[in-house]
């Protein structure tokens, strides 16, 4: 059975059991501070388990894109080395939200695996939770009894908390689980050793394929367990492992999920899969990682140097390193796998096919950039080896190995491999210490201690009224304390709130809660999943009173101006640049707007001007806001509403329209009642932020007026400086022309001075052991002048070795130049020499054997440079 058919069969099976099919949520998590990536199928349903939201369907099923490379679930280093770990994987799952429980979940799982997929019953084992004294939990006898009616008792294991109690993280929904394992060994192997003894013992052929989690508890911050409002079922079956079992393969990578990609790599590299362990691992790493990279970019997360973007960059660089080292790929290659990825996964995850060209270009640019970095790292490693050869050391310091890892992306195993090939080793314990120091720094920077929610009033659904009102009468439902680098703060949840919670690029509202007795500042408003959370610096004295919740009106209105302007900007960009433009991120606050979009060329001044003109024309039209709430998603799409990649939309959406022929978008943000409120729109910058993504920063209303008035004031001041000329432009052009003439005259004087200096230096050359030594301290106007002087000496003086210690506008520089003949005959090296001399000016440098330079901080060290050079080369002072 093909992988596509296996996935389709799973979905259709649960649809026949009255489950509603739900598309995969984005792989990048938003509005959940506990997660960076979706790591399990249940993530998008977390609020249902906690009782914060009522599900529209009590039974659902889907195939969820998951990524496990950070936090508790970190499998990155195993990926490719073994045959069953992955970074990105699909999680097939079925859920019950307070509907059916253990009996149905177990019976349906067995029916699907054995009756529908036809997996042999005698190869399947099941495990149930064996209890835990620490959490005061008994054995899951209920699940055990259900399984006993289906499989022989000798195929049922009681598992530990580690294996059979599922938790998403340190806090959150959790519960006992029942796992189904399959023994894929040969019949001969099964006769020799009972599969029962290999379950949960990391045997590569005895693997878990399905985990049935019975969500009963919520893990609180203090470690205790609290019963959930209702009992739920959350199952997760690794699609890749299931396909392997059904297709009877010994490795996930031997299935038709991955083999087309491996075959493509075989063609590109000329190396056969299955012939060499190192090249096999490299191919597995690449075909795994390309999915993680592409799916994450498709969901809106670009590679970068921080947070989620850094994780993706690490995965991409790991794939490139393996291809470079073991498959001899010296040029970008990953991006060439995108058509195959789109072809194989575009049906179930259409966002990949729709953005194939964009994703390819982003990956190609990232690959090219890293290959340059990798090349620089190899040169750095060559330099390290050369220096060690001179000192006789054979162990690369941990700090040096960590610099190669941190700066150049070299993993420890690659540095160790190159070291071994050259008879060297790496201080791995010191490297580990450096790594731990960095991790501790990162943990300290990100550390936040979050307390448990404390209920103070009856738990009710939170009502957001902020689209219509800036004030409401509200009660506090619950609160909790948080501690981070900002100090102690508190979070409140209100039953009704006018405060907009940060999402969709728009920042959260600020304001205050007012009662007869006190006024509490609301510092920020954010979403935690679908819960609106208000940040305050102190708690009220009385939780039972009704508060007037008041939004800061001025801040909200300015933010609304900028948010509505982003919609006009998006539409204008499509009009000017083309339909390929897609929003890739935004920031909207009371001061400015920032809009990121897909486009592979710098915008011209004319294009920027056209976009501004279109937006301002729409502002002057004073187009009334068209707002539709609770529109069925399919109806919104028929209206032509623009949806953003990476956003999770429900079955009902909000549609924002400014002229149905111009701007129609799905959006949950706040907007002006008519475009005229925006007043004025002005772009202040346009530039690249990553491969294929441009960024526009703009301002509106009074900020735009102030900006333009500031520019006019600057022009007036320039006019005054130039004595109010009739034609300002002509006056400036004349001034620049005069400056260029004077600059050329100065350059001419410098050349004469340099020629005189050169002649003087040539006259001071000393012949020592067949070398014409020139060792002098000089004063020059620029580094270019120093380089020019050094090369002229080299060309005009035979067998020259010149050391020039230069004062360049108060900054010390050194140049060492040596005739090629001396480099060859006497083994002299300008790079080594300049590095030694640079210590006297507290600097460093390098270069080639015949020419090298160095800069430093200590100008007073120049005489020491001269003295040291004279000692090194036997000059007579």
């Amino acid at each position: 059975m093909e992988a596509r058919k296996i996935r389709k069969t799973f979905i259709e099976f649960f649809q026949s059991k009255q489950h509603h099919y739900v598309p995969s949520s984005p792989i990048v998590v938003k509005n959940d501070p506990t997660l960076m990536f979706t790591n399990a199928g249940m993530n998008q349903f977390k609020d249902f388990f906690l009782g914060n939201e009522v599900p529209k369907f009590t039974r659902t099923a889907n195939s969820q894109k998951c990524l496990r490379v950070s936090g508790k679930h970190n499998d990155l280093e195993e990926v490719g080395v073994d045959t069953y770990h992955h970074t990105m994987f699909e999680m097939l799952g079925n859920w019950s939200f307070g509907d059916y429980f253990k009996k149905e979940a177990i019976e349906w799982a067995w029916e699907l695996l054995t009756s529908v997929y036809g997996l042999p019953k005698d190869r399947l084992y099941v495990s149930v939770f064996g209890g835990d004294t620490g959490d005061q939990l008994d054995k899951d006898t209920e699940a055990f009894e259900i399984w006993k009616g289906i499989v022989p008792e000798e195929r049922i294991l009681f598992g530990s908390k580690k294996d059979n109690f599922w938790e998403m993280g340190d806090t959150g929904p959790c519960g006992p689980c029942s796992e189904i394992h399959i023994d894929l060994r040969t019949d001969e192997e099964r006769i020799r050793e009972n599969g029962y003894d290999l379950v949960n013992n990391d045997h590569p052929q005895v693997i878990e394929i399905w985990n049935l989690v019975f969500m009963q508890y919520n893990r609180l911050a203090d470690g205790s367990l609290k019963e959930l409002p209702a009992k739920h079922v959350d199952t997760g079956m690794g699609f890749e492992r299931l396909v392997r079992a059904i297709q009877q393969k010994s490795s996930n990578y031997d299935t038709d999920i991955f083999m087309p990609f491996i075959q493509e790599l075989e063609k590109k590299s000329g190396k056969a899969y299955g012939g060499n362990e190192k090249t096999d691992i490299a191919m597995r790493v690449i075909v795994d990682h390309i999915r993680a990279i592409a799916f994450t970019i498709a969901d809106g997360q670009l590679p970068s140097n921080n947070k989620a973007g850094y994780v993706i960059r690490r995965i991409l660089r790991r794939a490139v390193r393996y291809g470079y080292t073991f498959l001899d790929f010296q040029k970008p290659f990953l991006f060439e796998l995108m058509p195959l990825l789109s072809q194989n996964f575009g049906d179930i995850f259409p966002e990949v096919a729709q953005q194939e060209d964009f994703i390819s270009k982003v990956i190609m640019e990232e690959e090219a950039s890293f290959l340059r970095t990798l090349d620089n790292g190899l040169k750095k490693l060559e330099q390290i080896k050369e220096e060690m050869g001179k000192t006789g050391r054979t162990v690369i310091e941990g700090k040096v190995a960590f610099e190669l890892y941190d700066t150049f992306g070299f993993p420890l195993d690659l540095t160790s491999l190159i070291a071994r090939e050259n008879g060297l080793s790496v201080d791995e314990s010191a490297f580990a210490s450096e790594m731990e120091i960095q991790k501790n720094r990162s943990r300290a920077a990100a550390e936040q201690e979050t307390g448990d929610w404390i209920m103070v009033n009856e738990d009710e659904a939170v009502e957001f009224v902020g689209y219509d009102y800036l004030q409401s009468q509200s009660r506090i439902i619950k609160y909790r304390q948080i501690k981070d680098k900002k100090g102690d703060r508190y979070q409140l949840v209100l039953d009704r709130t006018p405060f907009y919670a940060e999402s969709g690029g728009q920042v959260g509202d600020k304001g205050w809660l007012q009662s007869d007795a006190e006024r509490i500042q609301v510092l920020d408003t954010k979403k935690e999943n679908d819960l609106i959370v208000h940040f305050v610096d102190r708690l009220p004295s009385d939780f039972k009173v009704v508060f007037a919740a008041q939004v800061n009106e001025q801040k909200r209105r300015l933010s609304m101006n900028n948010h509505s302007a982003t919609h006009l900007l998006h539409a204008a960009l499509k009009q000017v640049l083309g339909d390929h433009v897609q929003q890739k991120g935004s920031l909207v606050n009371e001061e400015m707007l920032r809009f990121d979009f897909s486009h592979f060329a710098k915008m011209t001044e004319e294009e920027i001007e056209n976009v501004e003109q279109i937006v301002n024309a729409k502002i002057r039209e004073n187009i009334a806001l068209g707002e539709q709430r609770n529109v069925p998603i399919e109806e919104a799409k028929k209206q032509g509403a623009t949806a953003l990649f990476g956003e999770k939309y429900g079955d009902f959406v909000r549609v924002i329209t400014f002229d149905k022929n111009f701007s129609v978008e799905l959006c949950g943000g706040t907007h002006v009642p008519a475009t005229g409120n925006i007043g004025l729109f002005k772009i202040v910058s346009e530039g690249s932020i990553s491969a294929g993504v441009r960024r526009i920063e703009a301002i509106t209303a009074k900020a735009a007026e102030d900006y333009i008035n500031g520019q006019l004031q600057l022009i007036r001041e320039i006019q005054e400086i130039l004595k109010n000329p009739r034609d300002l432009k002509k006056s400036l052009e004349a001034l620049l022309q005069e400056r260029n003439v004077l600059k050329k005259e100065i350059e001419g004087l410098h050349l004469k001075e340099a020629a005189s200096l050169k002649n003087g230096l040539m006259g001071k050359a000393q012949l020592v052991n067949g070398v014409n030594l020139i060792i002098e301290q000089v004063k020059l106007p620029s580094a270019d002048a120093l380089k020019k002087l050094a090369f002229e000496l080299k060309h005009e003086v035979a067998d020259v070795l010149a050391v020039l210690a230069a004062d360049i506008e108060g900054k010390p520089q050194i140049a060492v130049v040596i005739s090629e003949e001396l480099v060859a005959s006497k083994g002299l090296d300008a790079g080594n020499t300049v590095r030694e001399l640079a210590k006297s000016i507290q600097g460093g440098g390098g270069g080639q054997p015949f020419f090298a330079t160095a800069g430093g901080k200590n100008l007073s060290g120049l005489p020491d440079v001269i003295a040291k050079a004279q000692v090194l080369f036997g000059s007579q002072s």
Side-chain angles (χ1 to χ4, degrees):
M1 191 184 292
E2 282 187 341
R4 272 196 179 99
K5 175 67 174 171
I6 292 169
R7 186 195 292 114
K8 188 167 183 283
T9 299
F10 178 90
I11 293 167
E12 289 175 347
F13 175 83
F14 280 103
Q15 284 177 324
S16 75
K17 306 291 187 187
Q18 291 75 54
H19 286 64
H20 176 73
Y21 172 71
V22 179
S24 171
S25 65
I27 207 166
V28 183
V29 175
K30 297 178 181 177
N31 302 327
D32 187 342
T34 67
L35 285 174
M36 190 179 286
F37 299 104
T38 298
N39 65 3
M42 61 80 66
N43 291 165
Q44 65 170 304
F45 306 121
K46 192 174 170 182
D47 274 338
F48 300 163
F49 296 129
L50 291 171
N52 294 333
E53 190 179 345
V54 178
K56 293 182 176 67
F57 304 96
T58 59
R59 299 181 181 188
T60 61
N62 84 341
S63 180
Q64 172 65 50
K65 297 173 291 186
C66 296
L67 191 67
R68 289 187 181 177
V69 290
S70 60
K72 178 184 174 184
H73 301 289
N74 188 349
D75 300 333
L76 182 59
E77 295 312 314
E78 284 80 33
V79 173
V81 178
D82 63 28
T83 58
Y84 55 92
H85 276 105
H86 299 289
T87 49
M88 181 266 163
F89 61 96
E90 287 184 58
M91 184 75 88
L92 301 172
N94 58 287
W95 290 269
S96 163
F97 308 116
D99 189 341
Y100 61 85
F101 202 44
K102 295 179 184 179
K103 185 175 186 298
E104 295 86 345
I106 289 171
E107 289 177 347
W108 289 339
W110 190 255
E111 179 187 350
L112 178 61
L113 290 177
T114 59
S115 300
V116 178
Y117 287 136
L119 290 176
K121 297 177 183 179
D122 67 337
R123 288 179 174 268
L124 296 173
Y125 295 86
V126 297
S127 62
V128 296
F129 180 52
D132 184 75
T133 54
D135 280 329
Q136 298 180 329
L137 294 173
D138 295 328
K139 287 181 179 181
D140 190 353
T141 53
E142 181 185 359
F144 177 79
E145 290 300 324
I146 296 168
W147 275 119
K148 207 165 70 168
I150 297 173
V151 300
E153 195 169 335
E154 61 268 19
R155 292 187 168 272
I156 307 172
L157 301 84
F158 277 108
S160 65
K161 176 183 172 183
K162 175 179 174 289
D163 292 324
N164 283 90
F165 192 88
W166 196 91
E167 303 194 57
M168 188 182 69
D170 294 331
T171 60
C174 56
C177 62
S178 188
E179 297 175 337
I180 303 173
H181 300 256
I182 189 164
D183 185 348
L184 298 173
R185 295 175 300 154
T186 63
D187 289 336
E188 292 79 9
E189 289 174 309
R190 292 170 64 214
I191 291 169
R192 283 198 299 269
E193 189 171 7
N194 192 336
Y196 183 98
D197 298 322
L198 299 176
V199 170
N200 278 332
N201 277 314
D202 294 325
H203 193 288
Q205 300 300 323
V206 182
I207 56 172
E208 171 205 334
I209 54 171
W210 206 345
N211 191 7
L212 315 177
V213 181
F214 310 121
M215 290 287 190
Q216 296 175 242
Y217 307 103
N218 183 26
R219 176 77 69 181
L220 303 179
D222 63 5
S224 62
L225 294 173
K226 180 184 177 184
E227 287 273 355
L228 288 171
K231 293 180 178 180
H232 312 286
V233 170
D234 159 27
T235 84
M237 176 154 55
F239 175 60
E240 295 77 10
R241 294 187 182 191
L242 175 66
V243 174
R244 169 185 169 185
I246 293 172
Q247 294 182 355
Q248 299 179 26
K249 302 294 184 182
S250 59
S251 160
N252 291 7
Y253 293 93
D254 293 340
T255 66
D256 65 345
I257 299 174
F258 295 102
M259 279 312 297
F261 298 89
I262 288 175
Q263 288 160 0
E264 184 69 15
L265 288 177
E266 287 181 308
K267 285 183 204 170
K268 289 181 181 300
S269 67
K271 300 179 189 295
Y273 183 67
N276 177 282
E277 184 185 8
K278 288 181 179 177
T279 55
D280 287 356
I281 290 172
M283 288 187 187
R284 290 197 293 266
V285 165
I286 292 163
V287 301
D288 171 273
H289 287 11
I290 185 61
R291 296 198 312 164
I293 298 159
F295 280 107
T296 312
I297 293 172
D299 280 344
Q301 180 57 64
L302 297 169
S304 69
N305 281 333
N306 51 53
K307 297 184 179 177
Y310 179 63
V311 174
I312 301 311
R313 180 165 280 171
R314 273 185 64 210
I315 294 172
L316 186 148
R317 290 182 167 189
R318 186 171 187 255
V320 173
R321 284 197 313 259
Y322 271 92
Y324 181 93
T325 306
F326 300 108
L327 301 179
D328 301 325
F329 290 140
Q330 307 295 310
K331 293 179 181 177
F333 64 92
L334 277 174
F335 77 99
E336 294 177 338
L337 297 175
M338 274 306 301
L340 199 56
L341 192 78
S342 177
Q343 177 187 323
N344 279 268
F345 293 96
D347 56 341
I348 186 71
F349 304 120
E351 61 275 11
V352 175
Q354 290 165 7
Q355 300 180 83
E356 181 187 326
D357 188 48
F358 170 73
I359 298 166
S360 295
K361 288 178 179 175
V362 171
I363 293 174
M364 183 183 69
E365 291 285 343
E366 278 288 319
E367 287 188 87
S369 172
F370 180 56
L371 284 168
R372 288 192 294 270
T373 303
L374 198 60
D375 190 49
N376 291 334
L378 288 169
K379 288 176 183 172
K380 173 75 173 173
L381 200 49
E382 283 298 318
Q383 184 182 319
I384 291 165
K385 283 158 40 187
E386 190 178 308
E387 289 175 358
M388 290 178 69
K390 290 180 179 176
T391 60
R393 289 185 292 116
T394 59
V395 180
I396 297 175
E397 295 175 11
K399 189 172 281 191
V400 173
F402 183 77
E403 182 193 352
L404 285 166
Y405 165 80
D406 200 40
T407 306
F408 299 101
F410 272 52
L412 180 61
D413 56 0
L414 181 56
T415 303
S416 298
L417 176 68
I418 296 170
R420 282 195 301 274
E421 288 172 353
N422 290 271
L424 305 173
S425 63
V426 179
D427 186 344
E428 295 191 9
S429 62
F431 175 90
S433 298
E434 292 291 329
M435 180 71 84
E436 192 58 33
I437 290 168
Q438 187 195 58
K439 284 180 180 176
N440 289 337
R441 274 198 301 265
S442 299
R443 276 194 288 265
E447 195 170 346
Q448 176 176 302
E449 186 181 320
T450 305
D452 293 319
W453 287 113
I454 298 172
M455 305 300 300
V456 292
N457 279 303
E458 186 181 345
D459 195 0
E460 299 174 11
V462 176
E463 181 186 5
F464 174 64
V465 298
Y467 292 140
D468 303 307
Y469 307 102
L470 295 180
Q471 187 183 62
S472 70
Q473 298 299 304
S474 307
R475 293 187 311 140
I476 297 171
I477 294 175
K478 56 186 177 181
Y479 73 92
R480 69 183 177 190
Q481 184 176 14
I482 59 168
K483 295 181 180 181
D484 57 18
K485 58 186 178 183
K486 293 182 180 178
D488 288 2
R489 290 177 297 156
Y490 300 88
Q491 295 175 336
L492 307 177
V493 175
L494 307 177
D495 62 344
R496 299 180 82 240
T497 180
F499 288 86
Y500 179 79
E502 180 181 325
S503 59
Q506 182 176 336
V507 299
D509 280 333
K510 296 181 180 179
W512 53 89
L513 303 176
Q514 181 79 54
S515 71
D516 292 337
E518 59 190 332
R519 179 180 171 116
I520 296 171
Q521 293 293 324
V522 175
L523 308 171
D524 199 358
T525 313
K526 293 184 183 292
K527 269 192 177 180
E528 186 170 311
N529 300 301
D530 286 320
L531 194 65
I532 298 174
V533 178
H534 308 77
F535 288 71
V536 295
D537 59 358
R538 65 185 180 86
L539 294 174
S541 56
D542 185 355
F543 286 103
K544 297 297 182 183
V545 301
V546 175
F547 287 87
Q550 176 67 55
V551 171
N552 182 320
E553 184 173 345
Q554 183 184 15
K555 179 180 180 296
R556 164 74 85 84
R557 293 200 185 285
L558 292 172
S559 296
M560 284 162 54
N561 288 343
N562 287 331
H563 198 154
S564 297
T566 63
H567 285 225
L568 304 183
L569 171 61
H570 192 184
L573 285 167
K574 282 181 176 287
Q575 205 172 100
V576 173
L577 301 178
D579 287 335
H580 66 279
V581 168
Q582 293 287 341
Q583 182 176 336
K584 291 297 173 185
S586 68
L587 171 67
V588 175
N589 59 30
E590 70 273 25
E591 296 172 351
M592 50 83 75
L593 66 94
R594 191 174 74 199
F595 190 80
D596 301 339
F597 59 100
S598 54
H599 187 56
F600 280 86
K602 178 179 172 60
M603 287 181 69
T604 65
E605 290 298 323
E606 184 181 5
E607 287 170 339
I608 292 172
E609 190 176 325
N610 285 346
V611 168
E612 270 191 0
Q613 287 175 349
I614 291 169
V615 173
N616 281 312
K618 294 297 177 184
I619 290 171
R620 288 191 295 273
E621 285 179 35
N622 199 26
I623 303 164
L625 166 69
E627 181 199 25
Q628 299 167 267
R629 301 180 193 173
N630 297 315
V631 180
I633 183 78
E634 292 307 319
E635 184 183 323
K637 287 177 181 177
K638 285 177 187 174
Q639 292 180 24
T642 300
L644 305 184
F645 291 114
E647 290 291 336
K648 175 65 180 172
Y649 298 104
D651 295 312
F652 296 89
V653 293
R654 182 167 173 260
V655 181
I656 296 296
T657 304
F658 291 109
D659 180 347
K660 65 181 180 181
N661 297 315
F662 184 67
S663 171
V664 184
E665 292 195 26
L666 304 184
C667 180
T670 63
H671 290 276
V672 294
T675 59
N677 290 49
I678 299 169
L680 180 64
F681 173 82
K682 181 66 186 169
I683 293 173
V684 294
S685 71
E686 187 276 342
S688 171
I689 59 166
S690 65
V693 180
R694 311 291 299 177
R695 170 172 290 173
I696 279 177
E697 291 188 350
I699 47 180
T700 62
K702 189 173 185 304
E705 290 176 14
D706 291 344
Y707 176 82
I708 290 170
N709 288 334
Q711 296 297 301
L712 291 172
Q713 178 61 29
L714 180 61
I715 292 171
R716 282 194 293 269
E717 289 172 3
I718 293 169
Q719 284 177 319
E720 287 176 12
I721 291 169
L722 297 176
K723 309 299 183 188
N724 295 306
R726 288 185 180 180
D727 192 324
L728 181 61
K729 184 182 175 186
K730 279 187 178 178
S731 293
L732 285 171
E733 286 172 346
L735 198 62
L736 288 171
Q737 190 175 358
E738 183 182 341
R739 176 183 173 274
N740 289 335
V741 170
L742 292 172
K743 188 178 177 183
K744 285 179 181 176
E745 287 180 9
I746 291 168
E747 286 172 355
L749 291 172
H750 282 158
L751 286 173
K752 286 180 183 177
E753 188 180 340
S756 172
L757 178 60
K758 179 190 71 177
N759 292 333
L761 291 172
M762 289 169 64
K764 292 181 180 180
Q766 298 177 22
L767 187 63
V768 178
N769 298 324
V771 177
N772 279 312
L773 284 178
I774 300 173
I775 301 174
E776 288 290 328
Q777 185 171 335
V778 296
K779 193 166 187 176
L780 288 165
S782 68
D784 285 340
L786 175 62
K787 182 178 179 181
K788 186 173 186 297
L789 175 61
F791 273 92
E792 286 182 355
L793 289 173
K794 177 171 171 282
H795 292 143
E796 296 186 32
V797 181
D799 297 326
V800 71
L801 189 161
V803 176
L804 304 177
D807 175 348
I808 297 178
E809 295 185 341
K811 293 181 180 177
Q813 283 206 23
I814 306 167
V816 177
V817 64
I818 306 173
S819 298
E820 277 90 346
E821 295 81 4
L822 294 179
V823 171
S825 63
K826 293 184 177 290
L828 297 171
D829 189 306
N832 292 338
T833 302
V834 86
R835 279 190 286 273
E836 181 60 34
L837 297 176
K839 294 174 184 176
S840 297
I841 58 169
Q842 297 176 14
Q848 297 167 295
F850 63 86
F851 178 71
T853 59
K857 303 174 185 175
N858 180 22
L859 185 66
S860 63
L862 289 178
D864 288 342
V865 172
I866 298 300
K868 189 181 285 187
Q870 287 169 342
V871 171
L872 279 174
F873 300 110
S875 170
Q876 299 168 11
S877 56

